[in-house]
Amino acid sequence: MKSKAADSPSLIAAAVASVLAGPAIAQEGDSDPFTPNLSVLEEVVAVGRLRSSATDVVQERLEQQVPADLLGSAQIARTGDSSVSLALRRMPGLTLVNDKFIYVRGLGERYSSTLLNHAHVPSPDLTRNVLPLDIFPAEIIDALVVQKGYTPDMPAAFGGGNVNILTRGIPMGPVASVEIASGYNSESDGEGLAYRGGDDDSLGKDDGTRALPPEIAQAIQTYRGNISAVGIYDTLRAAGEAVSFADAEAMNRELATSLYRDIDLERRSLGPDLGLEAALGNRWFLGETERWEIGALGLLSYDNTWRNRERTVRNVLNPAEEYFEQQRTTNEIALTGVANFGLTYGAEHEITTSSLFLRNTEDEGSIATGHTFNFQRETGRGFRDYRIRFEQRELRSNQVRGKHVLRRETAELVPFLDRPFLEGLAFEWYYSDSSAETEIPSEILVSAEDVVDRDTGEVLRTSLRRTGSAANYRFTDLRDDVESYGWDLLKPFAAGRFDVEVSGGWDYSRKARSYVQTELTLGTTAAAAAPILVGTPGSVLTDEHILDPANGFRLGIGGIGTESYLAAQTVEAAYVKADAMLGGRWRLTGGLRWEQFNQASLPIDPLEFSVRAGQSVIPTTGPDPEQNARNLLGAVYQEDDVHPAFAATYMRPGFWAESFQLRFGASRTVARPDLREISEATYIDPLTEARVRGRPGLATSPITNLDVRAEWFFDSGDNFTVSLFRKDIDRPIETAEGAGSDNDVFVTFVNAQEAEIVGLEIEWLKHLEPLARRLGRWIEPFFFSGNLTVSDSELEVGNVGLDLTSPKRPMTGHSDYVANLQIGFDAPSGAHSWSVVYNTFGERIFFAGRNGAPDTYERPFDSLDLVYSFHPTDRVSLRLRLQNLLDEKVTLEQRGVTILEQRLGRTAKLDVKWDLGR
C-alpha cells in the first residue's frame, strides 16, 4: 500500500485542476453482485397484500455469494414507511440516526456506502459525503438490498455494509395508477409558526425572495470584500471620489435595506398532510418474432407536510435554571420525478435508462426562549432567538446500463460469434451522470432579550439586542457533480459436477464539490437606538429605523474567512473474481480489487481579492502564486492498495430445514475521510450549530471483516438466520469536541488508535398455521417475523490531544441492541391485511465528552406502528398508517440529566389508490 501527499503535476491536474476549472466531476460507481430478479419482485407487488411478500425473496437470498438482506416494495408497503431511511431501520443490524442516515452493525454512516441502481450518486447533504436516505420516497422503490459481506466487484470503501437502492424498472405489463393521501399529527393538529415567504414555496423552491440581494453581491465585488462603512470609504477615496465618511455610512445602511426582513413569525392554522402520486408505463413487443421489446415507466409524486417539532434543551450543570424551550414548525415539500426506458432483444441483450429528479425542501421557523448564565430569571432577564431556515435539496441522476450475453439468438444474428468458447460470455456496462445541490438562500437568526417577571417568569417586554450582529444572515450553496462509468466481463465454465464463473471489471469515477457560504450581520450598538429596538424583528428592522443615522445600524460581513471550500476525488479500480460451485455442497468465492484513490480539499475565501485583478482569489491562500502551488501540492492525497475477499458456503439440504446454508466470509476493506474532513475549511453544522473544522492529514482506516452465517429456509416459507460478525478497524475516524465555549462549540475529526465490534444477528419469519390445532383456525392467517442484533464495540482513543474524558468507550452511534418485531395478518380472501410493527434500539453515544464531562447518550426510542390495508376491488386499495403510537420522544442525556427532549407526536395517514396493475 502506498499513501502519500502527491508530488506529480499530473496528479495535481487530475484531482485539483478539474475543481478550479468548474463542476466537471463524479463519484465512484461499481456494479453490485446482488442483482435481484426484478420480474420476481414485480410479481410480489401484484400479491403484496398477502404474506408471500415476505417469502418470495428467499430464493434470491439463497443464491447470493455473501450475506445480504432484501426488502421488497410490498414489504415496505406492509410497514407503511414513507422513505428509504424509515424502511431500512426494519432490517437486521440497521439503526436510523437523525431520520436520515443508516448505521449498519453499529458503525457510523461513514462506514456504510450507498448505491442507486448499482451506481454512486452525490450527496446533497451539507455536512456529509454519504447520501441522506430520507430524500428517497418509498413510492419509487422496487427493492432495498443491504449487502453485509464484501466482494471484489464492490467499492473498497466498505465497512458495515452497502445499501443498494433499486428503483422501479420497466414494467412487465400495463401500469397506470393514481394515489391521493392525507394525514394528521398530534403535535401539529392546531397552529404552528409561519412567516411570509416566496410565491413558489408550495413547490419547494425559493423565488429569490430570501436570496443574497444583487445589490449586496455587487457591493462585495465593488468594495473588494469589505462592505462596512470603512471599506466603502477607503475604496471610493482610493478611486479618487470625493465622499465623506458619513456618505459611506449612509451607503452601508442603504445596502442593509435590501435584505429580506419580512420575517415575523406568526401562529397560523396548519393544514393536513397532502400527498399525490401518479404512475404510467407499459411494455411492447416489436416485429413478427417478438424478440424485440421496449418499455417505459414514468412516475410523479408530490408531498406537503407541516410538523411542529417543539423541544426543550437544558444545561447539564444547572438544568432547573438554565434551559430554553424552542417552538419550531417545519413545512416539508417533496417532489419526485422518474422516467425509465428499456430495450431488450430476447433474453440476451438489454439496455435501460433511468432518470431521476428529487427535490426535498424544509422551511423552518422557530422561536427559542429561556435562560442562560448571562440571562438569568432572578435578574429579570431572558433570551429570545428568532430563526428562519429554508433548505432546498435537489438530486438529478441520469443512468444508462447494458447487459449482453452471447448465446444462441446472438449467434444466429452474428455468425462470427458462434464459437463454443464464447458461449455464455456476458458483458455488462454502465454510465452515470449525477448532480446534487443544496441551497440555503437565507438562514436568519435574530437575537433578542426579554424582560421577565422574576416571580412568575411572565414576559414583560422584548427587545432586539444592542449589538452589531443582532441579525445574522447566512447564505449557503453546495454542489456535487459526479460522473462514473465502468464494465464487467463474466464467463461461466462447467466441468462435471463443478461450475465456475470467472469475472473481472474496471471502474472509474470523478467527483467535484464546491461549498460556498457568505455571512452577513446587521445591528446597532448605539444607546440612542434602545427605544426603537423594542418589538419583533419585522417591526424593528424597518427601512425607517435602519436609514436613520441616529440609530447607528451597520451592515457587515461575518464568519472567520474559512467557511467555504472546494474538493475533488478520483477513483480508478479493477478487479478479478472467481465463483465456484463444487459438487452441490460447497460454493467458494474469492478475488482481489485494486484501487487508486486521489483526493484534494482546499479552503477558499470568496472575500479575498487579488491586488492586481480585483477579482476573488480561488483558492484563498494569498496572492502569491508560488504559495498557492505549494498549498495545492500539500492538499492532494493519494492511496494505492489491493483489497482481498474470500467467501465459502456449505449447503446441506434437510438439515433441520429443506434448505440450509452455512456461510463464511473474510475481507480487507477501508474507510476514507470525507472531502470536507481533510480540509481546514470551517463551516456551521445546521443541526447542532457547532463550528466544524476539518483536519488535514487524516489517515484512512483499514478494516478487517469476519462473518459466519447460518441460514435455514423451509418450504412453508418460514426461515431462520443466525449471524456472527467481527470488525477490527485501525485508525478509526471519530468526531470529537475541540476547545470552545458554551455559545461556540467547536468540533473536529481525529484518528483514534483502534476499534473493534463483535455481534450476533438473529432473523426469522414464522407462519402460525401449525398452532391452529391448539388455538383454532382463526390463527392461520397470522405470521410473526423480526430480527434482533446484539453487539459490543470498544474504541481505544489513544493520544489525540483533545482531553477526551473516556479513553476507552463504545463507538459513537453504536447501540448494544437493535430489535424489529412484526405481527401480521392476511385475510384468506386477500381483502384485508394488517401489521403491527415494533422497533427499538439501545442507548448510543451522541457526543463524546471532554475535560471530565461525561459522554452524551441518546436514549432508546420505542417505535410502535400499525398498518391496515383494505382492497375492496382488485384495482382500489385503502391504507391506514398509525405511527409512533407510544408517543415516544427523542431524548439526550448527560450525567443523568435530560439535556434535550423533542416531541414528535402520533401520526395518522390515509392513502387511497387506484391501480390498473403492474
Side-chain angles (χ1 to χ4, degrees):
M1 172 180 171
K2 294 180 289 183
S3 180
K4 62 181 180 180
D7 54 4
S8 66
S10 61
L11 182 58
I12 297 297
V16 178
S18 61
V19 181
L20 304 183
I25 26 186
Q27 190 172 1
E28 176 181 3
D30 294 283
S31 60
D32 192 315
F34 194 105
T35 306
N37 184 334
L38 296 184
S39 63
V40 172
L41 295 179
E42 288 173 350
E43 186 167 342
V44 170
V45 176
V47 293
R49 57 186 179 272
L50 305 176
R51 56 190 166 184
S52 60
S53 65
T55 62
D56 282 346
V57 297
V58 167
Q59 189 61 33
E60 298 294 336
R61 293 177 57 184
L62 280 168
E63 294 176 356
Q64 297 318 301
Q65 303 168 6
V66 294
D69 297 309
L70 182 139
L71 196 64
S73 57
Q75 293 169 278
I76 296 173
R78 295 270 341 205
T79 58
D81 295 319
S82 58
S83 68
V84 166
S85 59
L86 294 175
L88 284 171
R89 66 184 173 135
R90 313 290 185 185
M91 302 184 77
L94 272 63
T95 52
L96 179 62
V97 178
N98 293 334
D99 289 331
K100 297 182 179 182
F101 305 104
I102 289 294
Y103 284 19
V104 181
R105 290 178 166 176
L107 295 171
E109 75 272 0
R110 75 167 63 252
Y111 299 100
S112 303
S113 56
T114 302
L115 302 173
L116 178 65
N117 297 321
H118 310 280
H120 275 283
V121 292
S123 169
D125 189 84
L126 288 168
T127 61
R128 293 170 174 85
N129 269 3
V130 295
L131 274 170
L133 298 176
D134 63 321
I135 68 173
F136 293 96
E139 291 82 6
I140 70 171
I141 303 305
D142 208 3
L144 301 174
V145 181
V146 179
Q147 184 169 320
K148 298 176 181 177
Y150 177 70
T151 51
D153 49 359
M154 296 183 62
F158 180 98
N162 173 271
V163 178
N164 193 7
I165 302 171
L166 302 177
T167 59
R168 294 171 63 174
I170 305 305
M172 298 300 295
V175 170
S177 64
V178 177
E179 180 176 339
I180 185 170
S182 187
Y184 152 91
N185 177 267
S186 61
E187 292 289 323
S188 313
D189 60 341
E191 294 183 336
L193 296 175
Y195 66 98
R196 189 182 186 89
D199 293 336
D200 296 336
D201 287 2
S202 61
L203 298 176
K205 185 175 179 63
D206 181 60
D207 61 359
T209 298
R210 306 170 179 85
L212 180 68
E215 298 91 338
I216 295 180
Q218 181 59 48
I220 291 175
Q221 294 294 318
T222 301
Y223 305 117
R224 310 176 61 78
N226 186 352
I227 60 174
S228 68
V230 173
I232 295 173
Y233 178 78
D234 289 345
T235 301
L236 295 179
R237 293 285 292 188
E241 297 189 28
V243 295
S244 66
F245 191 74
D247 293 334
E249 289 181 314
M251 296 171 70
N252 175 268
R253 292 192 296 270
E254 186 68 34
L255 285 174
T257 61
S258 65
L259 287 171
Y260 174 57
R261 289 163 291 124
D262 193 0
I263 54 176
D264 275 349
L265 292 164
E266 302 173 350
R267 299 201 67 85
R268 299 178 188 173
S269 178
L270 302 182
D273 297 348
L274 173 65
L276 301 170
E277 179 195 325
L280 184 66
N282 202 352
R283 177 177 294 225
W284 299 272
F285 293 94
L286 304 177
E288 296 181 359
T289 62
E290 294 190 346
R291 290 184 178 181
W292 291 95
E293 295 180 64
I294 60 172
L297 176 68
L299 182 143
L300 294 172
S301 70
Y302 172 85
D303 289 282
N304 187 335
T305 60
W306 288 85
R307 287 292 181 270
N308 284 329
R309 289 287 185 257
E310 298 182 359
R311 64 177 181 173
T312 303
V313 179
R314 301 180 180 89
N315 186 324
V316 65
L317 299 178
N318 190 7
E321 297 182 6
E322 296 183 22
Y323 64 92
F324 69 83
E325 301 278 351
Q326 185 179 39
Q327 305 174 58
R328 185 164 55 135
T329 303
T330 300
N331 180 211
E332 182 173 352
I333 304 293
L335 278 170
T336 304
V338 177
N340 296 338
F341 300 92
L343 174 67
T344 64
Y345 179 78
E348 299 180 10
H349 300 275
E350 180 180 15
I351 297 177
T352 59
T353 68
S354 176
S355 297
L356 173 68
F357 171 80
L358 296 174
R359 176 184 295 161
N360 185 278
T361 299
E362 293 183 357
D363 187 7
E364 179 182 304
S366 69
I367 300 176
T369 58
H371 303 278
T372 65
F373 180 79
N374 295 319
F375 295 89
Q376 298 185 11
R377 177 171 166 177
E378 63 182 21
T379 64
R381 301 180 67 196
F383 82 89
R384 180 180 295 262
D385 284 346
Y386 301 89
R387 290 180 184 269
I388 289 175
R389 190 172 192 272
F390 187 96
E391 180 177 350
Q392 177 182 324
R393 299 180 292 175
E394 291 186 356
L395 173 64
R396 294 175 174 87
S397 175
N398 295 288
Q399 301 175 342
V400 56
R401 305 184 64 86
K403 183 175 181 179
H404 312 276
V405 183
L406 296 182
R407 293 198 180 99
R408 178 54 49 192
E409 290 183 344
T410 303
E412 292 177 358
L413 281 177
V414 187
F416 173 77
L417 298 177
D418 190 7
R419 301 289 189 271
F421 66 90
L422 294 178
E423 177 71 21
L425 182 67
F427 177 68
E428 300 182 12
W429 55 272
Y430 73 95
Y431 176 83
S432 177
D433 185 15
S434 304
S435 66
E437 188 167 5
T438 295
E439 292 185 23
I440 304 181
S442 191
E443 182 176 4
I444 305 171
L445 168 62
V446 180
S447 301
E449 179 178 347
D450 289 338
V451 176
V452 302
D453 186 287
R454 300 180 184 182
D455 298 324
T456 65
E458 179 186 357
V459 177
L460 304 177
R461 185 176 69 251
T462 297
S463 303
L464 267 61
R465 297 186 198 175
R466 193 152 52 88
T467 173
S469 58
N472 184 283
Y473 289 74
R474 193 180 300 151
F475 306 88
T476 304
D477 183 75
L478 173 144
R479 182 176 176 87
D480 269 2
D481 291 284
V482 170
E483 182 186 32
S484 58
Y485 43 88
W487 53 264
D488 300 273
L489 197 63
L490 304 90
K491 179 66 174 74
F493 300 91
R497 300 182 62 194
F498 301 98
D499 296 300
V500 180
E501 181 183 81
V502 179
S503 61
W506 175 86
D507 296 280
Y508 183 76
S509 67
R510 299 180 301 163
K511 177 179 182 178
R513 163 172 285 196
S514 65
Y515 181 94
V516 179
Q517 187 176 99
T518 302
E519 189 172 329
L520 302 176
T521 60
L522 174 63
T524 177
T525 58
I532 63 99
L533 293 179
V534 177
T536 63
S539 65
V540 172
L541 300 176
T542 63
D543 287 357
E544 179 184 359
H545 290 163
I546 292 175
L547 294 175
D548 187 345
N551 293 329
F553 277 97
R554 301 190 305 270
L555 175 68
I557 293 181
I560 61 176
T562 57
E563 288 80 10
S564 306
Y565 68 95
L566 299 176
Q569 182 185 98
T570 64
V571 179
E572 183 175 9
Y575 78 91
V576 292
K577 184 182 68 171
D579 181 18
M581 187 73 71
L582 309 179
R585 286 287 186 178
W586 284 94
R587 182 179 185 179
L588 304 179
T589 304
L592 301 171
R593 182 181 184 88
W594 166 82
E595 282 195 355
Q596 185 179 74
F597 173 78
N598 302 321
Q599 184 169 266
S601 184
L602 295 169
I604 63 172
D605 186 353
L607 302 178
E608 183 170 323
F609 283 72
S610 165
V611 174
R612 293 187 301 271
Q615 298 296 319
S616 295
V617 174
I618 299 177
T620 66
T621 50
D624 183 359
E626 294 183 3
Q627 181 64 39
N628 285 347
R630 287 194 294 271
N631 287 335
L632 288 177
L633 286 170
V636 179
Y637 177 86
Q638 181 181 17
E639 180 183 86
D640 188 327
D641 205 356
V642 175
H643 305 274
F646 173 78
T649 303
Y650 172 70
M651 294 161 282
R652 184 179 174 183
F655 181 66
W656 186 32
E658 286 74 16
S659 299
F660 169 75
Q661 293 189 150
L662 182 63
R663 299 179 181 270
F664 305 89
S667 61
R668 184 76 166 171
T669 57
V670 68
R672 298 178 175 123
D674 289 344
L675 292 171
R676 64 192 171 85
E677 294 173 344
I678 62 170
S679 169
E680 292 180 329
T682 301
Y683 59 92
I684 302 297
D685 187 316
L687 298 176
T688 64
E689 287 297 315
R691 194 172 292 275
V692 185
R693 179 181 297 167
R695 174 173 285 196
L698 279 179
T700 58
S701 306
I703 305 173
T704 301
N705 309 282
L706 299 173
D707 291 272
V708 179
R709 178 164 175 159
E711 302 171 331
W712 290 269
F713 297 99
F714 301 84
D715 287 347
S716 64
D718 295 349
N719 62 72
F720 183 72
T721 301
V722 178
S723 303
L724 296 171
F725 61 90
R726 177 188 178 98
K727 295 181 181 292
D728 294 291
I729 308 174
D730 297 330
R731 307 187 302 267
I733 301 171
E734 286 280 300
T735 303
E737 182 179 1
S741 65
D742 291 340
N743 296 324
D744 185 19
V745 179
F746 169 64
V747 175
T748 188
F749 307 95
V750 297
N751 279 115
Q753 183 173 326
E754 61 183 7
E756 68 173 25
I757 180 170
V758 295
L760 167 71
E761 289 178 349
I762 302 174
E763 182 182 8
W764 68 89
L765 168 66
K766 177 63 179 176
H767 299 112
L768 302 184
E769 290 101 327
L771 299 179
R773 292 183 179 179
R774 298 181 180 180
L775 303 178
R777 297 191 61 182
W778 64 271
I779 204 172
E780 289 183 357
F782 287 84
F783 65 90
F784 177 49
S785 65
N787 56 74
L788 172 67
T789 301
V790 181
S791 60
D792 180 62
S793 71
E794 182 177 271
L795 175 74
E796 181 77 30
V797 176
N799 183 20
V800 297
L802 293 177
D803 297 322
L804 298 181
T805 301
S806 304
K808 286 187 178 181
R809 58 171 174 82
M811 297 183 69
T812 302
H814 173 258
S815 299
D816 54 5
Y817 67 87
V818 180
N820 294 283
L821 305 175
Q822 176 177 325
I823 297 177
F825 169 85
D826 287 309
S829 65
H832 304 271
S833 65
W834 58 261
S835 298
V836 177
V837 186
Y838 174 75
N839 168 268
T840 189
F841 59 85
E843 67 175 16
R844 56 197 182 198
I845 292 180
F846 188 81
F847 217 84
R850 62 185 301 270
N851 291 330
D855 300 330
T856 298
Y857 282 85
E858 182 179 0
R859 297 293 300 162
F861 186 96
D862 297 316
S863 171
L864 182 65
D865 304 334
L866 171 66
V867 182
Y868 169 73
S869 297
F870 173 51
H871 297 256
T873 71
D874 289 339
R875 296 185 177 180
V876 177
S877 62
L878 290 84
R879 182 173 58 162
L880 174 67
R881 292 173 282 176
L882 304 178
Q883 298 172 321
N884 194 25
L885 292 173
L886 301 179
D887 200 19
E888 286 284 274
K889 304 173 183 177
V890 176
T891 305
L892 301 183
E893 284 190 2
Q894 187 179 25
R895 195 182 290 158
V897 176
T898 299
I899 62 172
L900 184 146
E901 185 177 78
Q902 179 170 301
R903 294 165 286 280
L904 302 181
R906 299 181 177 94
T907 300
K909 298 181 179 181
L910 178 64
D911 310 335
V912 180
K913 184 175 184 178
W914 177 88
D915 193 345
L916 176 66
R918 294 179 61 190

